[in-house]
Amino acid sequence: MLRKAVVLTVGLLVVVGCAQEPGDTPPDDAAALAKVVVTERPGQSPLVTLPTVPFYVSTPVARLVTDGHGAALLAGQELLVGELVVSCTDGSVVDDGWTSQFPDLVVGKNSVLDAVLTTAHIGAQVLFALPNATDCDVLLLVITDVVLTQADGTPVPPVPGLPTISVDDAGVPTSMSASGTPPSNLVVQPLLASDRPPAKAGDTIKVHYSGWLWDGTAFDSSWAREPFTLTLGADQVIAGWDQGLVGQSAGSRVLLVIPPALAYEDKDKGQIPPGSTLVFVVDILAVF
């Protein structure tokens, strides 16, 4: 499947091809893959039919089945991908993740796929055949979305009484200002709203974030690091995050005001004193 075959093999392109005898004519892998038929089936994953079984390719090969209608794919973008994996031995489905999303591919990291991806758009379907020592897999990939670099939603009018956030020229949050008594309940306020599907408990999300104490003191930010990945509802973060980010969408920027009971309560966390109300701005980059 893509999570095994593509991550381990496409990223490094360390592929062991099937043996050829001396004097054999090299197979036309592109022509072989062109004979694979993809049939759409409403309400379920497509049907991938191999021209013969067992099916054979000697090297990795890819082709565009249908292009998408979304934005053009760009070099360096991390793609969210659904997959359907068929065994070359008998044409059976090895793995069906067609309705799932996995952040598995980066445009510009693999010469075989890049010949297709650099001309494609979100929504594209791509066939990719991978040989190995004893078999091969044919993968039908659908590019469902990209992992954002920052929130791209529509600005939401400010809500009076809530903390205000300043951003730099690139739109990255830099400071926070709050006044008055901090709220005693969790506050969840989108600053940029997205119409993508909302995240559910159990979903994995990738985010950038900045955090402040109520007096404006910054204590953490991911913007100078890699984005942070977590599974909602798995107790990997404070309760205010688990509760506040459910229902939010990729592309959203969300203001969270988290009372001590949903943060660190009376614990001393170094830069975060006991009983602190915390203010976060969270950019949701992907939901999968």
Side-chain angles (χ1 to χ4, degrees):
M1 57 186 174
L2 180 64
R3 296 183 294 281
K4 292 180 181 176
V6 172
V7 170
L8 297 181
T9 318
V10 173
L12 301 176
L13 269 186
V14 179
V15 179
V16 180
C18 302
Q20 271 187 261
E21 295 297 327
D24 281 354
T25 301
D28 187 340
D29 294 324
L33 191 63
K35 295 178 182 178
V36 176
V37 177
V38 177
T39 305
E40 295 295 330
R41 298 186 295 179
Q44 54 185 318
S45 56
L47 177 66
V48 176
T49 305
L50 305 180
T52 59
V53 289
F55 182 72
Y56 169 78
V57 292
S58 61
T59 59
V61 60
R63 75 173 170 92
L64 183 67
V65 179
T66 58
D67 199 4
H69 300 290
L73 305 181
L74 304 174
Q77 285 181 324
E78 184 178 10
L79 306 182
L80 293 173
V81 178
E83 65 183 18
L84 182 71
V85 186
V86 173
S87 169
C88 293
T89 301
D90 58 9
S92 62
V93 174
V94 176
D95 182 65
D96 188 344
W98 190 249
T99 60
S100 303
Q101 296 189 115
F102 309 107
D104 280 334
L105 299 177
V106 177
V107 181
K109 295 293 186 181
N110 173 258
S111 58
V112 176
L113 278 171
D114 284 340
V116 174
L117 297 178
T118 54
T119 62
H121 299 75
I122 293 174
Q125 293 185 18
V126 178
L127 268 175
F128 183 50
L130 269 176
N132 60 45
T134 59
D135 190 12
C136 78
D137 288 322
V138 173
L139 299 88
L140 179 62
L141 315 177
V142 57
I143 312 304
T144 58
D145 207 342
V146 301
V147 177
L148 302 172
T149 56
Q150 68 182 76
D152 65 354
T154 302
V156 176
V159 176
L162 292 185
T164 58
I165 305 299
S166 298
V167 300
D168 62 17
D169 291 342
V172 175
T174 54
S175 63
M176 184 279 299
S177 177
S179 60
T181 302
S184 57
N185 297 317
L186 175 67
V187 173
V188 181
Q189 175 59 47
L191 304 179
L192 299 174
S194 169
D195 59 2
R196 293 179 176 88
K200 309 178 300 298
D203 284 344
T204 298
I205 63 174
K206 182 173 285 194
V207 304
H208 266 315
Y209 68 91
S210 296
W212 299 269
L213 304 179
W214 185 254
D215 65 6
T217 301
F219 61 83
D220 193 13
S221 177
S222 69
W223 284 95
R225 310 189 299 264
E226 290 294 315
F228 178 54
T229 300
L230 68 140
T231 300
L232 289 175
D235 294 326
Q236 297 174 349
V237 289
I238 57 176
W241 271 50
D242 268 341
Q243 294 180 25
L245 296 179
V246 167
Q248 306 303 318
S249 305
S252 296
R253 172 170 290 173
V254 184
L255 173 71
L256 299 176
V257 183
I258 304 177
L262 297 178
Y264 296 110
E265 301 180 339
D266 59 355
K267 300 180 181 67
D268 188 341
K269 305 298 287 187
Q271 290 181 287
I272 302 174
S276 292
T277 294
L278 307 182
V279 179
F280 287 95
V281 170
V282 182
D283 278 24
I284 303 178
L285 310 179
V287 177
F288 51 96

